[in-house]
Amino acid sequence: MPRRAGRRTNLGLLALLVVAAATGVLAYGVGTPAAARVVVAVHGAAGLGLLLLAPWKAVVVRRAWRLPRAVREPGAALLLLALVAVAVVTGVLHTAGATGPWFGVTALQVHVGSAVCALVVLVVHAWGRRQRFRSTDLSRRALLQAGGLAAGAAAVWAAAEGVLRLTGAPGARRRATGSAEQGSGDPVAMPVTEWFTDEVPTRAPGSLTVVSGGRSTTLAVSDLDVADRLRAVLDCTGGWYAEQEWAGVRLDRLLAEVADGLPGGGSVDIVSATGYRRRLPLSDAPHLLLATSVAGRPLSAGHGAPVRLVAPGRRGFWWVKWVVQVEVVDAPWWLQPPFPLQ
């Protein structure tokens, strides 16, 4: 058992928790495989790296129990420990392919919920314990220890990934984002999910309005020329993905036909019947599809009928369902919340 533990142990734990939280949020927004693979790897390594500091933290906790009860605040510390443990365990379960659901919740939902609660408790627990910067925090020894911790965390993550592949566990087949395959080629088996602020409208919209250059044109959905096809992966932040063949009208072609030409710049707002919206760069229009069917079948209400956006390379919350309006705007596409707030 390590004899020396304290300030640097707590700083190491704090650093790993911050990295895990930051990459966890970032993983929700990154949909391209290469970038997602890096983010998810760092997230996993930071989470598993917490296990490396467990022996040292046990020494710190044991020392703290010798202090007066009013000083040590055991309740907050134990609650934080429990939440972090739940987050790590459910993260490992999700990675291994044991996704659930159990009693109506999935491993990923419990993982995210416990992590958010742990961050709240961490802030409360650390409040009033602020420590001043010390020159030794950047000493050669401290930097070597930080590097050793990072290397150890990466090694634990790599070992865990190796075990999954050697055993052929379901988690070995997950996508770079960490999502598990569900319903590829079979829309009926593809889960029906919405962003937490959204819901299936009670009545399906029957028309689509295109606004560009101050001109507004409304088209009946049945009049759309749906001759374009696109094979794309819907990667949901709920922890699943499905590859489907979508059919509809490409956004650049629709704008060229309805608005007498594709504007040279700007962004495009895709608006749902529920008020949900996402703004994308207009330069992406040739790669975006307003789909009316999937795998040769009309879209179901849960999957966005009669029109939904297909946005390859972006996570599921960009794939706006129940589209009723397409509007070309001058504002930059990044001038919006990174995640929908409505």
Side-chain angles (χ1 to χ4, degrees), residues 107-275:
L108 184 61
Q109 289 171 332
V110 177
H111 175 70
V112 173
S114 57
V116 171
C117 292
L119 289 175
V120 174
V121 175
L122 177 64
V123 172
V124 174
H125 182 59
W127 192 258
R129 291 181 171 84
R130 295 186 295 272
Q131 299 185 37
R132 296 179 180 178
F133 172 78
R134 298 177 184 176
S135 58
T136 55
D137 291 337
L138 294 178
S139 66
R140 182 173 179 273
R141 181 178 181 181
L143 293 177
L144 286 174
Q145 288 175 334
L149 176 61
V156 173
W157 175 84
E161 289 292 310
V163 169
L164 290 179
R165 282 161 175 72
L166 286 174
T167 58
R173 298 186 294 274
R174 70 191 190 282
R175 204 163 182 252
T177 56
S179 298
E181 188 278 329
Q182 191 171 354
S184 291
D186 183 6
V188 176
M190 187 170 66
V192 173
T193 57
E194 295 87 38
W195 193 248
F196 69 97
T197 57
D198 211 10
E199 60 182 8
V200 179
T202 55
R203 187 179 65 169
S207 61
L208 176 68
T209 300
V210 180
V211 181
S212 179
R215 175 183 172 185
S216 177
T217 303
T218 299
L219 304 170
V221 173
S222 58
D223 291 338
L224 291 177
D225 181 11
V226 290
D228 299 314
R229 294 183 179 276
L230 178 63
R231 193 163 192 85
V233 174
L234 171 55
D235 194 333
C236 181
T237 53
W240 60 269
Y241 78 89
E243 184 177 6
Q244 309 284 5
E245 183 176 87
W246 308 84
V249 56
R250 226 171 53 201
L251 184 57
D252 63 329
R253 191 165 66 83
L254 177 67
L255 291 174
E257 293 175 357
V258 175
D260 296 329
L262 185 66
S267 305
V268 58
D269 280 354
I270 310 296
V271 186
S272 170
T274 64

Side-chain angles (χ1 to χ4, degrees), residues 87-107:
V88 172
V89 169
T90 51
V92 171
L93 288 174
H94 175 77
T95 300
T99 58
W102 304 289
F103 304 104
V105 295
T106 65

